[in-house]
């Protein structure tokens, strides 16, 4: 199965729901822009809660390009909410799994991207702080 998200330069729209640690659900939307540089893949994301459009969360992922035929790679990300986190992407058939944590171990989480077709992925994830649920999300990514 050939993955397109992250493996090809593109812009992806995101739409779905954000769930706070207390259980509140709010509509979430945004975009992810994938760019390839020599020796580095960059995914820049901007996400915002639909009821608070003036507040955006901006993240920049720096990914070590996956070798041809490879099934895993490392990444790091800076985000104003959690600071720096580091993780690993692992490709398992139609799914890209991600496990991550901050260098101090305070924040951790998991995320998965399930390929529906070359232009659509389901994205599910969660963020923990000191082992307690901070947030989770359920999005659909659509390639523009």
């Amino acid at each position: 199965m050939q993955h397109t998200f992250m493996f090809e330069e593109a812009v992806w729209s995101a739409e779905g729901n954000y769930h706070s640690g207390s259980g509140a659900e709010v509509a979430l939307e945004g975009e992810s822009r994938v760019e390839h540089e020599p020796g580095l893949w960059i995914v820049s994301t901007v996400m915002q809660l639909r009821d608070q459009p003036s507040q955006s969360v901006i993240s920049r992922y720096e990914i070590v390009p996956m070798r041809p035929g490879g099934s895993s790679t490392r990444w790091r990300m800076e985000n104003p909410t959690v600071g720096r986190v580091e993780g690993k992407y692992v490709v398992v058939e139609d799914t890209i799994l991600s496990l991550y944590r901050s260098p101090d171990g305070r924040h951790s989480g998991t995320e998965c991207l399930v390929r529906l077709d070359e232009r659509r992925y389901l994205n599910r994830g969660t963020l923990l702080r000191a082992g307690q649920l901070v947030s989770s999300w359920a999005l659909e990514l659509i390639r523009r």
Side-chain angles (χ1 to χ4, degrees):
M1 172 160 303
Q2 183 66 34
H3 280 280
T4 53
F5 184 80
M6 183 172 62
F7 290 83
E8 297 177 5
E9 290 189 316
V11 176
W12 297 77
S13 297
E15 195 168 309
N17 294 306
Y18 167 89
H19 305 269
S20 70
S22 64
E25 180 180 311
V26 180
L28 179 68
E29 62 187 9
E31 82 170 25
S32 293
R33 179 176 303 276
V34 179
E35 299 174 291
H36 289 179
E37 294 181 357
L40 184 67
W41 294 348
I42 298 169
V43 179
S44 303
T45 66
V46 178
M47 295 291 164
Q48 54 195 203
L49 301 176
R50 197 167 287 148
D51 66 348
Q52 298 175 15
S54 63
Q55 293 185 349
S56 299
V57 175
I58 299 170
S59 302
R60 176 186 161 96
Y61 294 77
E62 295 182 348
I63 305 160
V64 174
M66 199 171 296
R67 316 183 312 275
S71 62
S72 67
T73 192
R74 295 173 288 110
W75 62 270
R76 68 176 176 236
M77 182 265 293
E78 290 285 336
N79 167 300
T81 305
V82 298
R84 182 176 174 195
V85 296
E86 299 172 349
K88 188 161 195 99
Y89 285 121
V90 179
V91 175
V92 182
E93 297 184 6
D94 65 346
T95 304
I96 301 170
L97 300 170
S98 179
L99 304 168
Y100 59 90
R101 65 182 294 148
S102 58
D104 65 5
R106 182 167 166 81
H107 292 95
S108 63
T110 187
E111 187 170 16
C112 69
L113 292 148
V114 179
R115 183 183 188 272
L116 300 176
D117 59 45
E118 67 185 24
R119 302 184 60 80
R120 295 182 316 135
Y121 279 79
L122 295 179
N123 175 260
R124 305 293 188 258
T126 188
L127 171 66
L128 305 173
R129 182 184 307 124
Q132 299 298 309
L133 180 63
V134 173
S135 62
S136 59
W137 55 91
L139 300 169
E140 182 173 1
L141 302 177
I142 300 173
R143 188 175 183 162
R144 292 193 201 154

